């Protein structure tokens, strides 16, 4: 949400960039230090070589194998035949899925502040009601770190993969969908004619960016009901989707004011 936290973050980045030349000059000064430092390192290298020479061949070989194993585990594999380095591909972050989230996650990620610095996850609480209400509603939550598929997209891959299933889906999300997710959700709703989706958002994500505005309008045009979370909705999420134990919750002091602010913003987008 280009809620203004994103704009603020950009300003901070510009300030840090302006200080960069000073850091570069500092690095250059450090690089031009007298050669005494070099000589010290050379002496240390000589001492280290002498110590290695004192080791038996077996000890040296074991040390090399240990260092090779450490290097392989941390960065990649070096083949003995041609010495080529083969990097290991690290697995992507996985979407976290469960029935209830921690109270801390809820209180921090779901707070409907205007400036949302540090809230880089999307938490999505869902309820799936099947046609006729013959079965118990499916409930749970998902979270992402904006590194692979976002929670909105992952929901239809992991929770509701059947394209022909008829269902009423309700989401409570920490922030509204980004431009890409809005476009994908609109496409899903156009393909799944028996699916109804209602999204309650705590905050609007980058709501001043033209592509986000266009995406939310397209999503609403595809039949999705877009709403902002009011104080009673936060209480509902706390009671239903948070592993609270005996802890109680009351909406924060500015919850109603922030709700009113976002309601006006959403109305401007969808008009």
């Amino acid at each position: 949400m280009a809620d203004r936290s994103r704009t603020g973050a950009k300003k901070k980045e510009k300030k840090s960039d302006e200080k960069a030349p000073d850091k570069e000059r500092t690095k250059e000064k450090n690089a031009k230090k007298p050669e005494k430092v070099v000589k010290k390192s050379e002496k240390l290298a000589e001492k280290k070589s002498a110590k290695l020479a004192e080791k038996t061949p077996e000890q040296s070989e074991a040390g090399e194998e240990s260092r090779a194993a450490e290097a392989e585990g941390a960065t990649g594999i070096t083949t003995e035949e041609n010495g080529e380095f083969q990097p290991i591909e690290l697995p992507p972050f996985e979407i976290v899925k469960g029935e209830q989230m921690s109270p801390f996650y809820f209180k921090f990620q779901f707070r409907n502040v205007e400036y949302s610095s540090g809230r880089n996850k999307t938490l999505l609480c869902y309820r799936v009601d099947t046609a006729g209400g013959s079965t118990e509603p499916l409930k749970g939550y998902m979270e992402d770190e904006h590194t692979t598929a976002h929670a909105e997209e992952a929901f239809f891959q992991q929770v509701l993969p059947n394209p022909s299933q008829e269902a009423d889906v309700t989401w409570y999300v920490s922030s509204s969908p980004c431009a890409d997710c809005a476009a994908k959700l609109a496409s899903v709703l156009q393909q799944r004619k028996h699916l109804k989706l209602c999204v309650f958002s705590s905050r609007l994500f980058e709501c001043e960016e033209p592509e986000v505005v266009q995406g939310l309008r397209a999503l609403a045009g595809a039949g999705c009901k877009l709403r902002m979370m009011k104080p009673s909705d936060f209480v509902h999420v706390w009671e239903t989707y948070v592993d609270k134990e005996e802890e109680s919750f009351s909406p924060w002091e500015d919850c109603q004011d922030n709700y009113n602010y976002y309601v006006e913003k959403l109305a401007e987008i969808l008009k």
Side-chain angles (χ1 to χ4, degrees), residues 40-185:
K40 284 183 180 180
S41 62
E42 289 176 354
K43 288 181 180 180
L44 290 173
E46 290 175 1
K47 290 181 180 180
K48 192 171 183 181
S49 300
K51 287 183 179 180
L52 288 174
E54 293 174 359
K55 291 185 177 180
T56 62
E58 292 80 4
Q59 289 174 327
S60 300
E61 185 177 349
E64 290 297 328
E65 290 177 356
S66 175
R67 285 190 290 275
E70 289 177 1
E72 179 179 329
T75 54
I77 300 174
T78 303
T79 58
E80 293 180 358
E81 296 179 358
N82 51 20
E84 291 181 357
F85 181 76
Q86 299 177 354
I88 295 176
E89 292 186 4
L90 297 176
F93 287 99
E94 295 181 358
I95 297 290
V96 177
K97 179 182 170 187
E99 293 183 3
Q100 292 185 318
M101 72 186 80
S102 73
F104 171 80
Y105 267 16
F106 169 77
K107 290 180 180 180
F108 180 72
Q109 297 289 352
F110 266 92
R111 185 156 185 166
N112 62 343
V113 291
E114 182 182 356
Y115 301 96
S116 59
S117 178
R119 293 170 172 84
N120 57 349
K121 292 176 179 286
T122 296
L123 267 66
L124 184 156
C125 301
Y126 59 84
R127 174 188 171 111
V128 179
D129 292 282
T130 55
S134 56
T135 59
E136 284 291 321
L138 181 63
K139 298 178 183 179
Y141 93 99
M142 308 178 76
E143 69 177 81
D144 66 43
E145 293 193 353
H146 287 189
T147 52
T148 54
H150 291 187
E152 297 93 333
E153 181 182 359
F155 173 85
F156 290 103
Q157 298 170 350
Q158 300 182 22
V159 179
L160 212 63
N162 185 358
S164 61
Q165 184 174 353
E166 184 176 352
D168 289 346
V169 179
T170 303
W171 286 354
Y172 297 92
V173 292
S174 56
S175 64
S176 60
C178 64
D180 289 341
C181 285
K184 291 176 182 178
L185 291 176

Side-chain angles (χ1 to χ4, degrees), residues 215-236:
L216 292 178
R217 287 176 179 171
L219 182 55
C224 178
K225 295 180 180 179
L226 295 173
R227 303 285 188 270
M228 299 309 303
M229 290 178 64
K230 53 184 178 289
S232 59
D233 293 322
F234 290 101
V235 175
H236 170 69

